[in-house]
Amino acid sequence: MRQGVEEAKVEPSQFLDACKVIASIQITRDLGSDAAMNLSSALSSIPQNVEEACDTILTQQQNGQDERTPITELLSTDALSNFPDEVLDLDLKYARKSLQAYKEAIRQQRKARLQCLDLLLQSRCSFGSLDAARAFCGGGDDKVGMDVVLEKLKKRKEILVDAMALEGLDVEEDEEEKKMEGEEEGLKPLGWFPGQMAAMDEEAEDEPAAKKIKRC
């Protein structure tokens, strides 16, 4: 058991709800990212002497000074006339509101992503695929009886072919199907899939010793 998160059954709708939150907020986050980048670019264009003048006036205001140094004494006329237009046109209230919305979008997405991680840990990455396979193929515990289903399908096919032959219908052999059957015989069981390790061990025990040595 993973420390801090107990194993529990997780419904697919729980994953879907968390993913919906992440997807629905992504557009808002992208727009907020563009606004934050534009604001950062505008603020970075402010000259150093203007920043120093603003700091001076702000310090005087915080100290409660009634008489503050006029901006014309701190900055030259050329500096004021060459002030960037994108800074002069900046709406500080709107910029602050955009940054707050961007921050909230990041917070909500982070919360939804953490929820997805918690659900993954709770489910142990088992999303009911084995249950669905057992319902379709049969089997119990960790084994899925797909071979039984394939055998039943082959027998049904043989019955259909015999019935068509009795009716005088020509039955053409499917070359593609023969090719697929040959490829399936060469496929080995998946070692990582539950219930397949035992089949691989049994196959290895039945294998002749000479063949084992040659394979190694």
Side-chain angles (χ1 to χ4, degrees):
M1 180 181 294
R2 292 167 177 78
Q3 185 176 2
V5 180
E6 296 182 358
E7 184 175 357
K9 184 178 180 181
V10 179
E11 296 295 334
S13 59
Q14 294 177 265
F15 282 105
L16 183 61
D17 291 340
C19 292
K20 278 183 178 179
V21 173
I22 297 173
S24 61
I25 297 176
Q26 187 59 42
I27 296 177
T28 304
R29 178 170 179 171
D30 291 340
L31 294 174
S33 176
D34 293 340
M37 291 295 293
N38 293 334
L39 179 61
S40 176
S41 176
L43 295 178
S44 62
S45 65
I46 298 176
Q48 182 66 29
N49 58 344
V50 175
E51 291 185 10
E52 294 173 356
C54 292
D55 289 338
T56 301
I57 296 175
L58 180 62
T59 302
Q60 293 174 352
Q61 182 179 359
Q62 291 175 345
N63 293 336
Q65 297 180 11
D66 295 332
E67 295 183 2
R68 299 177 189 134
T69 307
I71 190 67
T72 52
E73 295 183 9
L74 298 173
L75 293 173
S76 64
T77 306
D78 292 337
L80 292 173
S81 61
N82 294 327
F83 206 71
D85 292 337
E86 57 183 354
V87 178
L88 294 174
D89 297 336
L90 191 61
D91 187 341
L92 294 179
K93 290 184 178 180
Y94 177 77
R96 187 175 178 225
K97 185 177 179 181
S98 299
L99 288 178
Q100 289 176 341
Y102 181 46
K103 179 181 178 181
E104 181 64 18
I106 294 175
R107 188 191 66 79
Q108 292 183 12
Q109 275 198 334
R110 184 175 182 274
K111 182 179 178 181
R113 288 192 174 104
L114 289 175
Q115 184 181 359
C116 282
L117 290 176
D118 288 339
L119 292 174
L120 286 173
L121 292 175
Q122 288 178 14
S123 67
R124 300 299 188 262
C125 295
S126 178
F127 309 111
S129 56
L130 283 177
D131 295 335
R134 292 191 196 100
F136 178 75
C137 305
D141 299 330
D142 290 336
K143 294 183 178 179
V144 177
M146 191 64 190
D147 294 336
V148 177
V149 176
L150 291 176
E151 193 63 31
K152 288 181 180 179
L153 290 174
K154 287 180 181 179
K155 288 181 180 179
R156 289 185 180 181
K157 180 183 176 182
E158 291 175 0
I159 295 174
L160 288 173
V161 171
D162 293 341
M164 293 173 68
L166 290 174
E167 294 293 332
L169 300 174
D170 294 332
V171 181
E172 297 181 358
E173 295 184 356
D174 193 342
E175 297 296 334
E176 187 67 25
E177 185 176 350
K178 282 188 175 182
K179 182 180 177 182
M180 292 177 64
E181 289 178 356
E183 292 176 352
E184 289 177 359
E185 291 178 358
L187 295 176
K188 296 182 179 180
L190 301 175
W192 52 266
F193 192 78
Q196 296 294 326
M197 287 299 295
M200 293 178 67
D201 294 339
E202 292 177 2
E203 183 180 350
E205 291 177 0
D206 297 338
E207 190 177 13
K211 189 174 182 181
K212 291 181 182 178
I213 297 173
K214 184 177 179 182
R215 187 180 62 182
C216 296

